[in-house]
Amino acid sequence: MDNTNFGVGIIGTGSYVPDKILTNKDLEKIVDTSDEWITSRTGIKERRILDKDKSTSYMAEKAAKKAIESSGLNREDIDMIIVTTVTPDMAFPSTACIVQEKLGLKNAAAFDLEAACTGFIYGLSVGYSFIKSGLYENILIISADSLSKITDWEDRNTCVLFGDGAGAAVLSKVKDGRGLLSIDIGADGGGGELLTQPAGGSLKPASIDTVKNKLHYIKMEGNSVFKFAVKIMVDSSRKVMRKVGMNIDDINYLIPHQANMRIIESASKRLKIDSDKVCLNLDKYGNMSSSSIPVALDEAVRDGKIKENDNVLLVGFGGGLTWGATLIKW
Ligand code: ACO
């Protein structure tokens, strides 16, 4: 394959979720909520919670190991690691550098990328460009988040929504006409206030006041995010299909960001895609931020659902605000 006559595709996937399960019934004991409310408003039944003494890199390492194994590559073949997360182990060093050391990926450049829940799509886009340009060959994208660590467990508006997990994929050269056929990523910083973790950065460094005022937890305007999410998922999906002259009937599987069942249902209805083509795991895991899409992708691949030549549409949205979609010929 010369430098232009090839595709860039996913040659291995992996995922990891913690063992500890927190059910809606468990949450009833923590905040004023009910299994009925959570199920009917979100579709979530339970979520996974990472142990207190473990961090995002722990899950990232586990998912990455599986992705490398399934790719058939050796560790020394990986020449770049991109970790997408809003819950890095610490501000620096990057979680990608921590994972590089844990996995002994000595030949890999490593950096973190922050695009909130759209992280995996952004990560794929960056990886695609590095491989297409000929600069790098085998890129490990890991999306890992432990939102339980920045969740206010006294706020029923948010604490019922999130869960922890990690998903990973190895990107590499594939046959021309296969792999990522089209990509759309975008952002609207004007909507940044809708989803924030206000303190802990240079604007409001950690202080007794920031802790007292709970500014290290996720703040969200759920209703506004909801409306934005439905519209942008539909627009971005249509854009990537249009770019390659496909329509919804050409799509074998849709893997959306898993934030709320009603968002996914509204977007699916507008896109006119059959519900049995939509890959879901929201009921088991809640919203795992950027990990939601790659975990669902890995499960669909390992279950044998996604087969060679299938057209798989990934679409997500998140804080920033950010959004993105990619259409992959598997
Ligand atoms: N249990 C019981 N009642 C609750 C709960 C709860 N857990 N949470 C909220 N309520 C109450 C509210 O207090 C409100 O009561 P009120 O009418 O007396 O004031 C009522 O339920 C309705 O609240 P709404 O916020 O209007 O409920 P809505 O139907 O919009 O659902 C939800 C809220 C689930 C948050 C929804 O708006 C949503 O999913 N939004 C999208 C969120 C999202 O996608 N976030 C992730 C983005 S990705 C990222 O970057 C992390």
Side-chain angles (χ1 to χ4, degrees):
M1 281 188 281
D2 67 27
N3 249 3
T4 49
N5 204 16
F6 62 86
V8 175
I10 293 174
I11 60 163
T13 62
S15 62
Y16 171 82
V17 293
D19 292 334
K20 188 179 166 193
I21 296 173
L22 184 72
T23 65
N24 292 349
K25 285 276 171 209
D26 296 329
L27 278 166
E28 286 179 0
K29 295 173 204 142
I30 302 174
V31 287
D32 179 17
T33 190
S34 64
D35 176 39
E36 196 282 325
W37 193 96
I38 303 170
T39 307
S40 62
R41 308 296 267 202
T42 71
I44 301 165
K45 296 296 287 182
E46 56 189 45
R47 67 288 289 142
R48 301 301 177 100
I49 305 292
L50 188 61
D51 290 346
K52 280 211 158 60
D53 63 343
K54 296 200 170 71
S55 62
T56 295
S57 68
Y58 174 84
M59 299 190 295
E61 178 194 358
K62 299 242 178 218
K65 228 179 206 168
K66 291 185 195 161
I68 296 171
E69 265 165 32
S70 79
S71 76
L73 295 179
N74 295 314
R75 291 183 183 205
E76 54 272 23
D77 298 328
I78 302 295
D79 50 15
M80 179 177 282
I81 306 165
I82 304 174
V83 171
T84 79
T85 184
V86 291
T87 48
D89 281 19
M90 53 190 107
F92 61 88
S94 68
T95 302
C97 283
I98 295 169
V99 173
Q100 187 230 33
E101 171 61 15
K102 284 188 175 187
L103 285 173
L105 303 176
K106 296 290 179 205
N107 296 328
F111 64 93
D112 287 1
L113 183 161
E114 202 272 86
C117 302
T118 323
F120 187 64
I121 312 276
Y122 267 69
L124 288 177
S125 314
V126 174
Y128 173 93
S129 308
F130 270 117
I131 296 172
K132 261 291 175 192
S133 70
L135 283 173
Y136 288 81
E137 287 206 356
N138 302 305
I139 302 184
L140 174 64
I141 320 280
I142 312 166
S143 296
D145 265 307
S146 40
L147 291 182
S148 67
K149 306 269 187 175
I150 57 166
T151 294
D152 179 354
W153 291 102
E154 291 177 350
D155 176 15
R156 69 175 184 175
N157 291 294
T158 53
C159 77
V160 302
L161 303 174
F162 304 117
D164 301 333
V170 177
L171 267 188
S172 199
K173 286 183 182 177
V174 294
K175 262 195 257 163
D176 200 16
R178 298 283 286 274
L180 278 67
L181 302 182
S182 63
I183 297 168
D184 172 53
I185 54 172
D188 174 11
E193 293 294 313
L194 299 179
L195 255 169
T196 62
Q197 183 193 9
S202 60
L203 184 65
K204 288 190 177 75
S207 68
I208 290 171
D209 272 350
T210 61
V211 173
K212 223 187 322 186
N213 293 319
K214 297 187 162 197
L215 298 181
H216 296 271
Y217 293 132
I218 301 171
K219 312 283 175 203
M220 184 179 74
E221 286 180 34
N223 280 322
S224 308
V225 177
F226 193 106
K227 283 176 212 144
F228 154 76
V230 173
K231 182 177 182 316
I232 210 67
M233 281 171 79
V234 172
D235 291 352
S236 198
S237 298
R238 285 188 179 144
K239 211 162 168 182
V240 289
M241 287 189 282
R242 209 165 41 233
K243 277 185 186 179
V244 288
M246 286 194 193
N247 63 48
I248 203 69
D249 298 327
D250 299 313
I251 302 301
N252 299 94
Y253 290 104
L254 171 71
I255 305 185
H257 174 48
Q258 320 264 323
N260 185 313
M261 196 54 209
R262 290 185 294 138
I263 294 177
I264 296 173
E265 279 170 358
S266 300
S268 304
K269 204 167 148 199
R270 289 185 200 190
L271 284 168
K272 298 192 170 66
I273 187 160
D274 297 342
S275 57
D276 57 356
K277 289 183 173 180
V278 184
C279 299
L280 297 170
N281 59 20
L282 176 74
D283 54 331
K284 296 186 288 183
Y285 305 141
N287 176 354
M288 298 184 290
S289 189
S290 65
S291 321
S292 284
I293 292 175
V295 170
L297 175 66
D298 181 51
E299 290 183 341
V301 170
R302 283 175 195 267
D303 289 352
K305 232 169 152 176
I306 295 179
K307 299 189 184 62
E308 212 172 314
N309 272 321
D310 276 351
N311 295 318
V312 184
L313 175 56
L314 313 183
V315 61
F317 62 91
L321 297 166
T322 55
W323 63 86
T326 182
L327 207 168
I328 303 175
K329 180 160 291 285
W330 204 257

